[in-house]
Amino acid sequence: MARAQHSLFDEGDVALRPAICVRGLKTAFGSHVVHENLDLTVWPGEILALVGGSGTGKTVLLRQMIGLAQPAAGQVEVLGVPAHGGTPAQRRSLARRQGMLFQAGALFSALTVFDNVALPLRELRTIPEDLVCEVVMTRLALVGLGASDAAKMPADLSGGMIKRVALARALSLDPELLFLDEPTAGLDPQRSDEFVDLVRSLHRQLGFTVVMVTHDLDTLVELATRVAVLADKRVIVCDELSEVVRVDHPFIRTFFLGPRGQRALGDLAPKERTAYGKP
Amino acid sequence: MAQGPGQAASDPGDSPAPLTLKAGVCRLAGDWSVQTLAARGEIRARRRALDAAQANAGLRWDLTGVRRLDAVGAHLLWRAWGARLPERVRLHAAQRDIFASLARMSIEPPRPAPRDPLAWLAKLGAGVLDGAQHGRALLLLLGQLVLDAATVLARPRLAPWREISAQVYHTGAQALGITALVGFLIGIVLSYLSAQQLQVFGAGQFIVTLLGVSIVRELGPVLAAILVAGRSGSAITAQIGVMRVTEELDAMRVMGLSLGQRLILPRVAALALAMPLLVLWTDAMALAGGMLAAYAQLGLTPSWFLQQLPDAITINNYWITLGKGLAFGVLVALVACHFGLRIEPNTESLGRGTTASVVTSITGVILVDALFAIIFSQVGI
């Protein structure tokens, strides 16, 4: 995959059309401005990790990309369709092409595991029930769950299983775009590894685009093809990890190059730095 | 030669006195940690001893005998010394570190917020504005509900029939027991009290009209509405509130499910359907109770009572009771959904939200009832 520069948008070439295009985004809560003049491009098929300090608005940005929050200014275009202010038909079609994994899973607590994963399919109202059943069991098998788990209620599941069911539900309609909000938060190291392997193999199989917000350096190193760093109210760099760690910015220094960072990066740790601000 | 104050250490065998003053040297020893200082009267005694010792000028301090010194003990000494180390003091290195960090930190208590004498006025104004905001939000909710109802009626296949049916069961069918009980008992009480008064005038037979009209027009609908508000209103608010907290509402939005159609419409429709029926049920139970009490008190036979009922309760009252049931049902459901959608992710908010929901619905029901009474009296029903 070609290395992407973060302000390029090729209008003519459909094959290079970005999956998500954020231009001039401004987010404010009252007088507190979180993002100002934020630009970000997500290319199809890549796994983009969104990192930033606390309060830099990573989750807010994710929510704006998925259409749950409205920016004060700027545009967000997802899969060629505006994320806000589109027609209801556009919004409906967009909802079918994207899926989100919430931090705590957000499974519907009144429905069984099976019904949770089946919901997006049943909402289409055109798929016969036997087909729905087959697809749901396939999805559950894909995330490592079986028929015995299908009848359980979300309250009976462990944290790792909740995340897996939520992932199965997010992938129910084979979306082109997958959003992950802190996917490995609260998982023990083994479950985190399993989750990372799962996402990686599914990505290889199904080829969707992933945007994930994460603090976990190990997940980042394992999964992300590009990393977007949120600081100073905008994306200061969006590039492959090996390039990002060479940028000399205080946040990047503390986040990636502290003792944890060095351990996680291994030999990705930079030998020399590029000054922040230089192209 | 002053002796140190009373028992200090926890082990009886080895308990040096905490403070000894001898030949111009104040020797501190033993346990100056919170476990020991927490004993009753211990801090007071030690403070007294410290103040007594401070009275001597040019005193030297020796802390090397102190076995354990923690933050509480250190603060105690720090205060007694006037927030600085005395000129001549012998300390261990660790103790020196403790006092050095105390010297670095500021231990000023937080300044209390300045009290505004007109704070009550601001609160009142804020309350009014808040109420207006709630009113606006409710109006928006009602408007969206009407739009959703129109959409669903235009394409019945899309309607959430199962959700509506489930809600009718939970809010209606499962409330039959409590409404029957309360209705029956209120009927008995009302009838008993009225019978006593009517007997004085020898007008016992008017009890049928009295009970019939008052229960069917006023008491039945309001009672049923209050019970349903407490029972189902709080349940709806809590359920939607928790869904907000666990991000289930966000998940629904992300999947393109309309919250108005899938969450609010079923609940409002269910209560709009169930409430009039519950009101009829409550009316019947209350009249049954009244009948029983009338028989016991006035000797009016149930068969006579039932014969008189159709004349006592005109058809207008029947429509009024159903209409009120419908109005109250929609009101309770809307208010419950409104408060549910505003709940924040903390326990405080959940408690306050459900309380506000129940109180607002009950108050709203009474207000609407009064409004109906005014309208009907003007119209002459």
Side-chain angles (χ1 to χ4, degrees):
Chain A
M1 193 170 50
R3 179 181 301 182
Q5 279 109 39
H6 52 82
S7 52
L8 179 70
F9 173 18
D10 194 329
E11 294 241 0
D13 199 335
V14 173
L16 280 181
R17 213 227 205 110
I20 301 180
C21 192
V22 179
R23 289 283 170 267
L25 189 79
K26 176 172 174 188
T27 318
F29 296 113
S31 55
H32 173 52
V33 177
V34 180
H35 304 134
E36 189 131 42
N37 238 326
L38 191 147
D39 292 336
L40 180 64
T41 311
V42 182
W43 299 99
E46 70 172 350
I47 302 183
L48 182 80
L50 215 54
V51 299
S54 321
T56 48
K58 304 184 289 295
T59 308
V60 174
L61 183 58
L62 198 70
R63 288 171 69 91
Q64 280 167 344
M65 287 197 271
I66 202 166
L68 285 175
Q70 195 120 5
Q75 308 155 292
V76 180
E77 217 181 61
V78 177
L79 298 174
V81 164
H84 309 98
T87 66
Q90 277 178 327
R91 274 203 298 273
R92 251 198 313 264
S93 86
L94 194 57
R96 291 186 190 150
R97 295 158 74 194
Q98 64 187 14
M100 175 148 176
L101 176 62
F102 290 86
Q103 192 168 343
L107 295 178
F108 299 124
S109 28
L111 303 177
T112 59
V113 165
F114 184 91
D115 290 328
N116 259 287
V117 180
L119 188 77
L121 288 161
R122 288 187 178 142
E123 278 310 301
L124 298 173
R125 295 176 191 272
T126 47
I127 310 214
E129 190 58 30
D130 52 351
L131 199 56
V132 168
C133 188
E134 282 176 30
V135 175
V136 167
M137 294 318 291
T138 316
R139 293 274 167 240
L140 286 175
L142 216 55
V143 298
L145 295 169
S148 58
D149 305 308
K152 292 191 184 149
M153 301 296 286
D156 305 327
L157 302 175
S158 71
M161 287 175 74
I162 289 180
K163 296 241 174 177
R164 283 192 275 168
V165 176
L167 185 63
R169 183 180 69 179
L171 293 173
S172 220
L173 294 177
D174 256 318
E176 299 161 44
L177 193 50
L178 184 65
F179 294 95
L180 305 175
D181 190 1
E182 305 272 7
T184 48
L187 294 181
D188 63 54
Q190 189 193 355
R191 294 268 170 270
S192 295
D193 277 335
E194 284 172 5
F195 191 88
V196 165
D197 289 334
L198 183 61
V199 173
R200 211 193 353 235
S201 70
L202 288 173
H203 180 249
R204 235 194 331 258
Q205 267 186 47
L206 306 170
F208 41 74
T209 313
V210 181
V211 177
M212 77 175 164
V213 168
T214 185
H215 282 305
D216 186 8
L217 286 161
D218 294 306
T219 311
L220 240 169
V221 172
E222 291 291 315
L223 272 184
T225 51
R226 275 204 308 160
V227 177
V229 180
L230 223 58
D232 305 334
K233 299 189 180 153
R234 35 185 281 280
V235 175
I236 53 173
V237 58
C238 181
D239 210 337
E240 286 174 25
L241 188 56
S242 49
E243 294 300 312
V244 166
V245 295
R246 287 170 51 192
V247 170
D248 192 10
H249 183 277
F251 171 72
I252 294 183
R253 252 182 284 131
T254 42
F255 187 86
F256 288 103
L257 304 175
R260 272 183 189 251
Q262 300 269 7
R263 280 200 299 272
L265 288 174
D267 26 88
L268 279 177
K271 310 292 183 294
E272 96 265 356
R273 307 276 193 76
T274 60
Y276 168 51
K278 282 218 188 108
Chain B
M1 222 161 14
Q3 279 296 321
Q7 282 62 31
S10 36
D11 28 305
D14 160 45
S15 48
L19 194 152
T20 24
L21 195 56
K22 195 155 78 170
V25 177
C26 182
R27 242 176 270 276
L28 298 180
D31 200 325
W32 285 73
S33 73
V34 65
Q35 268 81 14
T36 318
L37 293 172
R40 203 181 280 261
E42 194 58 42
I43 292 189
R44 209 181 18 229
R46 296 202 190 192
R47 271 214 180 121
R48 256 206 312 269
L50 281 169
D51 292 336
Q54 283 281 76
N56 304 21
L59 190 65
R60 283 176 309 186
W61 293 82
D62 186 346
L63 267 70
T64 50
V66 172
R67 215 166 15 124
R68 227 167 58 170
L69 179 71
D70 73 349
V72 176
H75 272 286
L76 192 60
L77 292 171
W78 195 244
R79 276 273 221 95
W81 289 337
R84 58 186 206 293
L85 280 179
E87 286 131 20
R88 296 146 84 185
V89 61
R90 272 175 60 185
L91 298 166
H92 293 310
Q95 291 166 343
R96 206 171 279 279
D97 284 339
I98 293 178
F99 289 115
S101 71
L102 278 188
R104 268 202 310 269
M105 293 190 286
S106 145
I107 41 178
E108 286 289 323
R111 192 100 46 85
R115 292 194 34 187
D116 187 4
L118 286 180
W120 60 273
L121 194 61
K123 244 181 158 180
L124 187 66
V128 170
L129 288 176
D130 217 16
Q133 207 198 26
H134 276 289
R136 181 175 173 272
L138 269 170
L139 201 61
L140 286 173
L141 210 62
L142 182 64
Q144 185 62 45
L145 180 73
V146 170
L147 289 174
D148 288 327
T151 315
V152 155
L153 285 173
R155 304 198 350 235
R157 212 171 56 94
L158 290 183
W161 296 115
R162 291 191 70 183
E163 276 103 329
I164 295 180
S165 146
Q167 287 297 320
V168 168
Y169 176 69
H170 285 300
T171 58
Q174 288 188 321
L176 286 173
I178 185 87
T179 46
L181 181 67
V182 174
F184 188 74
L185 292 174
I186 290 281
I188 290 182
V189 169
L190 186 65
S191 172
Y192 183 66
L193 288 174
S194 324
Q196 279 195 326
Q197 298 303 315
L198 288 174
Q199 254 183 335
V200 171
F201 299 100
Q205 67 268 35
F206 288 109
I207 190 121
V208 183
T209 315
L210 181 71
L211 280 181
V213 171
S214 65
I215 285 175
V216 168
R217 265 183 97 106
E218 291 297 327
L219 221 49
V222 171
L223 212 58
I226 290 178
L227 285 171
V228 165
R231 201 178 161 279
S232 309
S234 59
I236 291 174
T237 305
Q239 198 179 44
I240 296 183
V242 171
M243 283 179 84
R244 187 155 190 264
V245 168
T246 57
E247 296 186 296
E248 284 180 49
L249 294 185
D250 282 343
M252 284 176 76
R253 284 196 196 104
V254 164
M255 289 190 216
L257 300 172
S258 158
L259 287 184
Q261 277 184 26
R262 307 298 292 266
L263 212 60
I264 300 179
L265 182 66
R267 285 165 171 78
V268 175
L271 269 180
L273 180 63
M275 267 296 273
L277 300 174
L278 270 178
V279 164
L280 280 181
W281 171 255
T282 314
D283 289 343
M285 286 295 133
L287 284 171
M291 192 167 69
L292 196 66
Y295 181 54
Q297 182 80 349
L298 300 169
L300 300 170
T301 59
S303 53
W304 184 84
F305 197 102
L306 288 170
Q307 268 181 351
Q308 298 295 102
L309 263 183
D311 297 321
I313 310 175
T314 57
I315 194 72
N316 283 337
N317 292 322
Y318 178 74
W319 294 123
I320 287 174
T321 210
L322 287 180
K324 280 191 180 179
L326 180 69
F328 294 163
V330 171
L331 179 69
V332 168
L334 267 180
V335 168
C337 291
H338 164 76
F339 279 100
L341 290 170
R342 285 176 163 245
I343 284 184
E344 303 286 314
N346 59 65
T347 52
E348 215 10 71
S349 173
L350 189 62
R352 236 177 315 124
T354 42
T355 309
S357 159
V358 174
V359 170
T360 309
S361 351
I362 293 180
T363 313
V365 159
I366 305 285
L367 278 173
V368 170
D369 193 47
L371 196 67
F372 275 140
I374 295 174
I375 293 176
F376 292 148
S377 73
Q378 295 293 334
V379 171
I381 299 178

